[in-house]
Amino acid sequence: MFRYLTAGESHGPALVGILDGLPAHLHLDVGAIDATLTARQGGHGRGGRMKIERDRVEFLAGLRGGVTLGSPIAVVVRNHDHATPHVRALMDPLSGSGEPLTNPRPGHADYAGALKYRERDLRNVLERASARETAMRVCLGAICAQFLAALGITTHSAVARIGEVAATFEQWDDAAVEASPVRCPDLAISAAMTAAIDAAKAAGDTLGGTVLVRIDGMPAGIGSNRQPAQRLDGILAGALMGTQTVKAVEVGDGTAIAGRPGSAAHDAFALRDGAVVRASNRAGGIEGGMSNGQPILLRIAVKPIPTLMRALPSVDLHAGAPAPATVVRSDVCVVPAAGIVCEAMVRLALVGPILEKFGGDSIEETLDNLARSRAASAALFERTPVQR
Amino acid sequence: MFRYLTAGESHGPALVGILDGLPAHLHLDVGAIDATLTARQGGHGRGGRMKIERDRVEFLAGLRGGVTLGSPIAVVVRNHDHATPHVRALMDPLSGSGEPLTNPRPGHADYAGALKYRERDLRNVLERASARETAMRVCLGAICAQFLAALGITTHSAVARIGEVAATFEQWDDAAVEASPVRCPDLAISAAMTAAIDAAKAAGDTLGGTVLVRIDGMPAGIGSNRQPAQRLDGILAGALMGTQTVKAVEVGDGTAIAGRPGSAAHDAFALRDGAVVRASNRAGGIEGGMSNGQPILLRIAVKPIPTLMRALPSVDLHAGAPAPATVVRSDVCVVPAAGIVCEAMVRLALVGPILEKFGGDSIEETLDNLARSRAASAALFERTPVQR
Amino acid sequence: MFRYLTAGESHGPALVGILDGLPAHLHLDVGAIDATLTARQGGHGRGGRMKIERDRVEFLAGLRGGVTLGSPIAVVVRNHDHATPHVRALMDPLSGSGEPLTNPRPGHADYAGALKYRERDLRNVLERASARETAMRVCLGAICAQFLAALGITTHSAVARIGEVAATFEQWDDAAVEASPVRCPDLAISAAMTAAIDAAKAAGDTLGGTVLVRIDGMPAGIGSNRQPAQRLDGILAGALMGTQTVKAVEVGDGTAIAGRPGSAAHDAFALRDGAVVRASNRAGGIEGGMSNGQPILLRIAVKPIPTLMRALPSVDLHAGAPAPATVVRSDVCVVPAAGIVCEAMVRLALVGPILEKFGGDSIEETLDNLARSRAASAALFERTPVQR
Amino acid sequence: MFRYLTAGESHGPALVGILDGLPAHLHLDVGAIDATLTARQGGHGRGGRMKIERDRVEFLAGLRGGVTLGSPIAVVVRNHDHATPHVRALMDPLSGSGEPLTNPRPGHADYAGALKYRERDLRNVLERASARETAMRVCLGAICAQFLAALGITTHSAVARIGEVAATFEQWDDAAVEASPVRCPDLAISAAMTAAIDAAKAAGDTLGGTVLVRIDGMPAGIGSNRQPAQRLDGILAGALMGTQTVKAVEVGDGTAIAGRPGSAAHDAFALRDGAVVRASNRAGGIEGGMSNGQPILLRIAVKPIPTLMRALPSVDLHAGAPAPATVVRSDVCVVPAAGIVCEAMVRLALVGPILEKFGGDSIEETLDNLARSRAASAALFERTPVQR
């Protein structure tokens, strides 16, 4: 059974994660994990905090000589900001204290969390709810990416819209994405996005946008139609919508499909050199809640972050009087980072259903089972039926 | 711990469900459950199967004298079609057999399922993958609705688009929805939708669309920012996307938010008669993964169903030759039914997070705890701090 | 993911179970399931209820032509007693009612359940808590037994003690067990047990005892040392102790091991014809929370059932006055049946950890993976190391 | 939902744990956690490793100023041994390596784990399987103890047998336990136990024994008869048997009950000053899978640890030749420590079922709900029925 837990406050000592259920004997490339952490910190439009942090993964368990043991993997990403005396005074696990924050930010967890936890200091809510938490998702997702890669499965993300600036590409390669400061592979649009972010910054405003995630190399038959909660599209949408700032998730042609007739909404089967092929991928690689062997395509809309330098109207909850929302150091646009985070969530979401089908306590065992499954799939519809 | 399992093939003897974890002493209105089952069967555009079935809930466990015992609830919805001799010959659990189905339908589970289960007869896949399965989701959801109603929480759905015909209402009442044969509260648009369905039927085609679900009466603080998988928006999106034909899920303003600046994307706080109020509900009732006390708003896009009378191009997998997709008796448009099903999934998804916060082995206990929580919320920011 | 839910009151219409996650293409022998249900109803010392019931499994889902589809399996075992008019009047799901039971039985769920569910009629507690519920465990366990048998894994049980009469055998075969009316393979002891039951019955008393369960054919490496909750011994003990009347569970030499030195408590390794063998099986087939390839041995103590014809002292909770405990129709000794139930719980407990290691959506896939795993185990310590 | 994950190798950098789901606003006494960690390290019969380690909890998340935030709690317990250069060279997560261990110890995870993980170096198995892992269980359990204490629930443990030396006390107080170097409250027996350990040590042997755990202050109605896996006795037995060296678990009178008639096996109800009381506690505080309000009594048998200085016969798996089992630095008797660990497992096992009944995102909320539940229980059988 694959599962994970994360912990960590935005200004506490560290983010912590435990990843349980990855097979033994996977050789981890630690540099690749750190590079993904760095990618999350980047993108045009990030604020001051990202200049302080230099996120690096530290392994405390589950690894020996860079190879997984099959035991749970424990990782830590330090919050360098916590070393600052005034931050430590505020957030030390044993001694931290400070004046309460009282003016909730519209769009943030502040108010809902205060009611949930019967909490009069909004800081005690926002520290966990902060998007800083996503650094650990990215870290664990980057570990999972190496498991997936061993099976031939890769994930890719790109930015398709920032504010009013939208691109129209449908395919992309990672190099073009990496070359853009906003992770948009269309260079002209990328420049317009950058300008839009600068304008928003000047106005004390923030911008949202749209990111695409693609999964290549997925074997068919992952996910299940057995129970509602086992469908792969549901699992992926749940993971993505459970991410800070995400407000919409589409699979394949998504909302556009609602306006089309059935004759223009599906992916016809054909034969090419004896193999079953598809003429299109409107379904986005998932039919009946299961991967169908095509690339999986996901489109995710993220809202502008709720902390604006020109603070939104709010209320001082202690005073019972109108007041501007609390302003904390923040970013103008996190859409490029959101692509990295969404990719991480997709990686984390895939491992469970994959291990459920193929099993395996060591990567050798999982690969054995995957190879045998592929061979059986290939033989399934040969003219002479397989014997049972 | 609240959870459920469902079972049942489309042409097998029955659909079966077990619902575990509802408190004791809830008086169930069985007629209301049957009415919801009937509503799922209706809507302009349904096909011949719905004329055969008259779905009714049968309780086998968990209820005595119409009141829940706190023990697991077991329900059955019979497939009347199974009584037909040729259907029974095909699908009897002990003796059923028949010629294999070999031509997968694009957009359905047929092909992915064949590879998953190493299955050469597509009937063995499609029987469970069929949308008939949603009748049990609706049945269990209708039971949950009565638990939610006891807590003051209600769900509502409406159709906002069918094919190219889109409505623009933002609010609606249930009576207007029930008055429309396509569950669209705008009567002019409703008529246009009906016409579009008739045209699609004449063309041997199918239509998808968009449904809205609203949750009224939600207490604040349901769902959690503790772990990625506990966020209420993720839980709802996972439940909805894990439903047949759903291809997109939006919370609040959803995809539209991606194009707006932060200053026009959130819901400012204000005071009215001393109470904290919101000027808008762009967030759709969820902030930081938790309900914030406002109505929860969800928008769901569903694809046209994949079984067309003018069959899509496919392949005979046994023969290895092009062939039209298998045609089975089916519907032209299920968007009105999809609204009922999405409402059911929302109901099922809410119970777990609500019981996690309020607990309770009897409805009296849950109501006690909810009342105390509401009182504490109200007192939280009174000038004299509550004592801890 | 393998899991199951059960439902059903003792005098309600039926017991219901859903078993989710068994692979497709398993041919089920329904007669064998019914035979196990019959075995649970037997054993010297059962009371009048067992004369009324003739438990038979009825499949409502998951099966076609006697073969699993991979979809969830739904089964029903009818309570024939429910057809009696006065029982139906009492327990009909929609209309049942009757005078409350008010005098809790010591040793039963009555009192604890009343407090848990805020319930003033003890019948509403005891209907689910009754050991009748174990018929569904046995039914689902008998299905799982056929999955296990396909993998070469079999379970076996025997009675080792009833009241003061104890047997000392350590090994047994199923035929000797089946030949005894109390399922004790030592015929002389079996006769003494029968006599003890008759004496208890004459005295209006009840008897407990001890049962043994053995698992043959277990592959090594099932269960895990990764997390506390994944250890196979913990999983088995949890399943067994979570069974009506069970008060103690031992693995291998169990409590006896506490008095022995380490030099006489473990199972030395040796070589025979080049293969690693063990000189003993004190560990009972589990080391480090994982199966080690030896038979798994479990010893379970069950208490005398708490419903005595000579009622124990109790209290009328409504009247607030001393009163004898409620007497309902019951058995004198259920130890032989407990062996069947414990075997069922072991079967249900094994499937999850086995599928976690070997995966598989069809029995062909699971068997493929098991075969490959066995080959890899055999090759693991050959002189030329396996390549990774 | 309450849950936890642990990670950590015996000689790796640290043990790590994440505890998810404890309510906010619990004031933690860190000194008490450290004291429990120290208690686990103690007891007559511990070996050299315990002289090196000085276990201390370090909080990385979930706490601010010593008070829980409601967010996940992350803790680390460092392995001081890891600072030793040769240990670090062996077990560094990124660079560790060394000669493989090849001779499995009977009774340990070595052999089963090698087959499970396709692992030729037994060190890669035993590092996680080592009982060092229990330090994190104790740490997390000590946190849970403070949550339980806030609700009036306390746990207590004592040693009742070491090797052939057995005590017969049925009740005990913590002070007497703490005064004994083997945690046995009978001082004469304690001295005999100490002598037995010294004798075993001189012989190069090891000793097991028996521990008792008692839970005081349990509210009635915790755990559930709804599903097999929800019974409190099963949950406790699963947690305990899933602990290194445990081979038997008994609830209440346990195995002794098997030999007694029903008339001498249960706990009669009586009235005292109008309150319902029990004449005995043979059931050990659990009836029908639910706590009944009496103290919960558990008896656990632990085996002698499998690492003997006079090594047991084994096999060199690489050489395919007989060889003595690997000898690593180890203890002679861990029974006193096992009591601490079993108490920790009981604490961890209780929190989930308690929160399931009472809910609560803050300790104030949980206490509110508990108080209301107690009042309702008290009123349940007053003459004038409670209104529903």
Side-chain angles (χ1 to χ4, degrees), chain B residues 18-361:
Chain B
I18 297 181
L19 199 57
D20 187 54
L22 277 192
H25 303 160
L26 187 66
H27 291 68
L28 289 187
D29 175 346
V30 176
I33 300 167
D34 285 340
T36 311
L37 286 169
T38 300
R40 191 201 69 93
Q41 294 188 275
H44 193 73
R46 300 308 296 273
R49 174 74 183 273
M50 289 305 102
K51 293 185 175 59
I52 294 168
E53 301 297 340
R54 287 289 175 271
D55 290 345
R56 291 289 175 273
V57 64
E58 182 186 338
F59 284 86
L60 292 181
L63 212 61
R64 182 186 179 207
V67 181
T68 61
L69 291 165
S71 52
I73 295 172
V75 291
V76 165
V77 173
R78 303 273 160 192
N79 292 326
H80 291 157
D81 205 15
H82 188 72
T84 317
H86 79 274
V87 173
R88 178 176 286 244
L90 206 56
M91 285 302 299
D92 185 82
L94 302 185
S95 65
S97 72
E99 283 301 296
L101 296 182
T102 60
N103 305 3
R105 287 164 295 169
H108 215 291
D110 302 355
Y111 183 67
L115 296 178
K116 180 179 186 68
Y117 296 107
R118 299 194 187 180
E119 179 56 63
R120 287 172 54 83
D121 181 354
L122 303 182
R123 176 169 296 284
N124 291 335
V125 172
L126 65 89
E127 280 287 335
R128 177 64 184 159
S130 159
R132 172 91 190 126
E133 178 245 302
T134 60
M136 183 46 66
R137 304 188 188 202
V138 167
C139 180
L140 299 182
I143 297 171
C144 292
Q146 300 192 26
F147 167 74
L148 296 172
L151 275 60
I153 304 166
T154 55
T155 62
H156 311 271
S157 64
V159 169
R161 169 189 280 273
I162 287 181
E164 294 184 347
V165 185
T168 55
F169 66 92
E170 296 208 336
Q171 301 192 325
W172 72 91
D173 60 58
D174 293 349
V177 166
E178 303 314 329
S180 158
V182 289
R183 307 193 76 250
C184 175
D186 180 325
L187 290 189
I189 298 288
S190 170
M193 288 171 169
T194 306
I197 293 169
D198 292 339
K201 184 174 185 180
D205 214 329
T206 61
L207 290 178
T210 303
V211 301
L212 307 181
V213 177
R214 188 183 75 236
I215 309 166
D216 288 341
M218 274 296 282
I222 304 300
S224 168
N225 58 335
R226 286 164 174 153
Q227 295 292 333
Q230 294 177 315
R231 293 188 168 237
L232 187 61
D233 36 11
I235 290 168
L236 290 167
L240 290 165
M241 194 74 91
T243 301
Q244 287 88 338
T245 80
V246 173
K247 297 302 279 185
V249 180
E250 304 175 65
V251 178
D253 282 0
T255 54
I257 215 88
R260 277 195 238 136
S263 52
H266 301 290
D267 306 304
F269 290 96
L271 288 167
R272 190 162 58 208
D273 302 333
V276 175
V277 296
R278 313 296 285 261
S280 54
N281 189 12
R282 294 154 170 166
I286 303 178
E287 289 172 306
M290 296 170 278
S291 59
N292 64 9
Q294 297 223 86
I296 292 178
L297 305 175
L298 302 158
R299 177 180 292 262
I300 303 107
V302 302
K303 67 182 181 186
I305 61 167
T307 309
L308 279 71
M309 289 303 118
R310 282 175 61 182
L312 295 172
S314 183
V315 169
D316 182 326
L317 294 168
H318 285 212
T326 298
V327 175
V328 299
R329 187 183 49 193
S330 197
D331 305 308
V332 173
C333 176
V334 298
V335 181
I340 304 290
V341 177
C342 286
E343 229 183 302
M345 291 310 294
V346 163
R347 292 159 165 183
L348 284 161
L350 288 177
V351 178
I354 285 172
L355 282 175
E356 211 170 299
K357 180 164 185 55
F358 300 119
D361 287 306

Side-chain angles (χ1 to χ4, degrees), chain B residues 1 70 226 356 364 388, chain D residues 1 70 226 356 361 364 388:
Chain B
M1 184 170 49
R226 286 164 174 153
E356 211 170 299
E364 297 91 338
R388 301 212 270 263
Chain D
M1 185 171 48
R226 286 165 175 152
E356 212 170 298
D361 287 306
E364 297 91 337
R388 310 209 265 262

Side-chain angles (χ1 to χ4, degrees), chain D:
Chain D
M1 185 171 48
F2 174 79
R3 55 197 168 156
Y4 66 95
L5 288 175
T6 71
E9 277 63 53
S10 181
H11 298 89
L15 304 172
V16 183
I18 297 181
L19 199 58
D20 187 53
L22 277 192
H25 304 159
L26 187 67
H27 290 69
L28 289 187
D29 176 346
V30 177
I33 300 167
D34 284 341
T36 312
L37 285 169
T38 300
R40 191 199 71 92
Q41 295 187 273
H44 194 74
R46 301 309 296 273
R49 173 76 184 271
M50 290 305 102
K51 291 185 175 60
I52 294 167
E53 301 298 339
R54 286 290 175 270
D55 290 344
R56 292 289 177 272
V57 63
E58 179 185 341
F59 284 87
L60 292 181
L63 213 61
R64 182 187 179 205
V67 182
T68 60
L69 291 166
S71 54
I73 295 171
V75 291
V76 165
V77 173
R78 303 275 160 191
N79 291 326
H80 291 156
D81 205 15
H82 187 73
T84 318
H86 79 274
V87 173
R88 178 175 287 244
L90 207 55
M91 284 302 299
D92 185 82
L94 301 186
S95 64
S97 71
E99 283 301 297
L101 296 182
T102 60
N103 306 4
R105 286 163 295 169
H108 216 290
D110 302 355
Y111 184 68
L115 296 178
K116 180 179 186 67
Y117 297 105
R118 300 195 186 177
E119 179 57 62
R120 289 173 51 84
D121 181 355
L122 303 182
R123 176 170 296 285
N124 290 336
V125 172
L126 66 88
E127 280 287 335
R128 176 64 183 159
S130 158
R132 172 92 190 125
E133 178 245 302
T134 61
M136 183 45 66
R137 304 188 188 204
V138 167
C139 180
L140 298 183
I143 296 171
C144 291
Q146 301 192 26
F147 167 74
L148 296 171
L151 275 59
I153 303 166
T154 55
T155 63
H156 311 270
S157 64
V159 169
R161 171 189 279 273
I162 287 181
E164 295 183 346
V165 185
T168 55
F169 65 92
E170 296 208 336
Q171 300 191 324
W172 74 91
D173 61 57
D174 293 349
V177 166
E178 303 314 328
S180 157
V182 289
R183 306 194 75 249
C184 175
D186 179 325
L187 290 190
I189 298 289
S190 170
M193 287 173 171
T194 305
I197 292 168
D198 292 340
K201 182 174 186 179
D205 214 329
T206 61
L207 290 178
T210 303
V211 302
L212 307 180
V213 176
R214 189 182 76 237
I215 310 166
D216 289 341
M218 273 298 281
I222 304 300
S224 169
N225 58 336
R226 286 165 175 152
Q227 296 293 332
Q230 293 177 316
R231 292 188 169 240
L232 187 61
D233 36 12
I235 290 168
L236 289 167
L240 290 165
M241 193 75 91
T243 301
Q244 287 88 336
T245 80
V246 172
K247 297 302 279 187
V249 179
E250 304 174 65
V251 178
D253 282 1
T255 55
I257 216 89
R260 277 195 238 137
S263 53
H266 301 291
D267 307 305
F269 290 97
L271 289 166
R272 191 162 57 212
D273 303 334
V276 176
V277 296
R278 313 297 287 259
S280 55
N281 189 12
R282 293 153 170 167
I286 302 179
E287 289 171 308
M290 296 168 278
S291 59
N292 64 9
Q294 297 223 87
I296 292 179
L297 304 175
L298 302 157
R299 178 180 293 262
I300 302 107
V302 301
K303 67 183 182 185
I305 60 168
T307 309
L308 279 71
M309 289 303 120
R310 282 174 60 183
L312 294 171
S314 183
V315 169
D316 182 326
L317 294 168
H318 286 212
T326 298
V327 176
V328 299
R329 186 184 50 194
S330 196
D331 305 308
V332 174
C333 176
V334 297
V335 182
I340 304 290
V341 176
C342 286
E343 228 183 304
M345 291 311 292
V346 163
R347 291 159 165 183
L348 284 162
L350 289 176
V351 178
I354 286 172
L355 282 176
E356 212 170 298
K357 180 165 186 52
F358 300 119
D361 287 306
S362 63
I363 190 72
E364 297 91 337
E365 186 175 10
T366 304
L367 289 173
D368 271 355
N369 297 351
L370 172 61
R372 186 67 190 94
S373 173
R374 285 196 199 276
S377 286
L380 185 61
F381 291 109
E382 285 174 2
R383 298 305 155 75
T384 310
V386 286
Q387 298 298 326
R388 310 209 265 262

